[in-house]
């Protein structure tokens, strides 16, 4: 299968723990050893948020804040590349085209953000769309998509399965609630919907959940194309 794995920065490198980065690299190596083509998109996490907060405090523009965030996602991408043993392109892909070229050479592509104005959730969905991935895995810090933000609402329930249209509706309603955080953002959900991508949203703090999901044993929310 051709797989795009999106790994949140707070999942890959909270506290910049080398064991955690290696565990994620091991999961990617396991997927390539099993014969899958793998591209990975890495987020910025708490480190990106701290840089953005500091820069906002000194009056940087939103564009410049995004540029800082992108730089951190690419640093995280470099960390992951350093830990991957299978043949990964040694530099983070700067564009979707570069990532696709890596896949075509038979290499693991690792990238962070691309341009200001969105997040790595959307970058991963666009990459999956572009390379016609069989599966898009979102390794997040929550165990799936819930009816509301589980940190804010006690009665929030996890969806085991959603159609892409339902995903868009659920994320839209979560994003309208002030202060709530959706596990995948609305732009990403819309890209998933328009291209009929198959996706899984799971808790990636244990990266074996990523390999399990690819093997068909997903512990998270599975998103199926409409119809
Ligand atoms: P993330 O994708 O990690 O954003 O990129 P996030 O959604 O805030 O992180 P999590 O999922 O909650 O951990 C970090 C920041 O980098 C910028 C944005 O400012 C984003 O918030 N960014 C990232 C871009 O501007 N463009 C990109 O393509 C990617």
């Amino acid at each position: 299968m051709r797989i795009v794995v999106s790994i949140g920065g707070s999942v890959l490198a909270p506290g910049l723990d080398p064991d955690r980065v290696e565990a994620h690299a091991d999961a990617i190596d396991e997927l390539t050893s099993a014969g899958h083509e793998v591209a990975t998109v890495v987020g910025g996490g708490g480190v990106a948020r701290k840089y953005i907060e500091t820069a906002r405090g000194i009056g940087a523009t939103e564009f410049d804040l995004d540029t800082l965030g992108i730089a951190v996602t690419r640093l995280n991408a470099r960390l992951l590349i350093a830990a991957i043993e299978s043949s990964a392109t040694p530099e983070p892909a700067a564009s979707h085209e570069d990532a696709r070229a890596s896949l075509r050479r038979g290499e693991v592509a690792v990238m962070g953000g691309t341009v200001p104005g969105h997040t790595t959730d959307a970058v991963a969905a666009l990459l999956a769309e572009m390379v016609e991935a069989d599966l898009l895995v979102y390794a997040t810090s929550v165990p799936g998509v819930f009816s509301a933000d589980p940190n804010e609402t006690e009665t929030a329930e996890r969806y085991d399965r959603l159609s892409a249209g339902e995903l868009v509706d659920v994320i839209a309603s979560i994003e309208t609630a002030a202060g709530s955080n959706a596990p995948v953002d609305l732009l990403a959900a819309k890209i998933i919907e328009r291209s009929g991508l198959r996706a899984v949203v799971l808790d990636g703090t244990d990266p074996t959940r990523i390999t399990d999901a690819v093997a068909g044993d997903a512990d998270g929310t599975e998103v199926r194309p409409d119809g």
Side-chain angles (χ1 to χ4, degrees):
M1 284 205 288
R2 189 173 300 140
I3 301 154
V4 172
V5 185
S6 169
I7 308 177
S10 49
V11 170
L12 178 75
L16 294 172
D17 171 13
D19 292 341
R20 181 71 83 86
V21 178
E22 281 189 336
H24 279 279
D26 289 349
I28 288 164
D29 288 332
E30 203 179 312
L31 293 175
T32 56
S33 305
H36 299 295
E37 288 175 49
V38 185
T40 307
V41 180
V42 179
V47 177
R49 274 193 290 278
K50 278 196 179 147
Y51 269 91
I52 288 171
E53 206 177 291
T54 303
R56 186 172 274 128
I58 53 181
T61 63
E62 290 297 316
F63 187 99
D64 287 337
L65 301 183
D66 280 351
T67 307
L68 259 183
I70 293 167
V72 176
T73 63
R74 290 181 175 169
L75 275 179
N76 283 341
R78 279 183 191 278
L79 266 184
L80 184 62
I81 289 169
I84 291 175
E85 304 229 317
S86 36
S87 163
T89 308
E91 293 281 314
S95 67
H96 285 90
E97 287 81 1
D98 286 353
R100 176 168 61 186
S102 295
L103 281 181
R104 286 183 176 165
R105 287 194 301 271
E107 296 172 359
V108 176
V110 182
M111 69 188 294
T114 52
V115 292
H118 56 213
T119 72
T120 51
D121 289 350
V123 172
L126 284 169
L127 184 58
E129 177 175 77
M130 180 198 216
V131 303
E132 298 180 287
D134 300 294
L135 183 65
L136 166 61
V137 181
Y138 282 101
T140 74
S141 52
V142 290
V145 181
F146 285 70
S147 51
D149 184 341
N151 297 317
E152 304 284 324
T153 313
E154 255 181 45
T155 52
E157 279 179 28
R158 186 178 84 177
Y159 298 106
D160 293 336
R161 265 185 210 89
L162 287 173
S163 70
E166 288 168 339
L167 177 73
V168 169
D169 292 344
V170 171
I171 300 292
S173 76
I174 294 174
E175 287 198 353
T176 14
S180 292
N181 270 324
V184 174
D185 63 33
L186 188 57
L187 178 57
K190 287 188 168 172
I191 295 163
I192 289 169
E193 184 187 33
R194 77 174 183 182
S195 284
L197 294 167
R198 196 157 77 80
V200 180
V201 182
L202 48 75
D203 176 358
T205 50
D206 176 358
T208 60
R209 289 203 190 90
I210 300 170
T211 43
D212 287 349
V214 172
D217 183 17
D219 178 9
T221 300
E222 292 187 62
V223 182
R224 306 249 165 200
D226 291 315

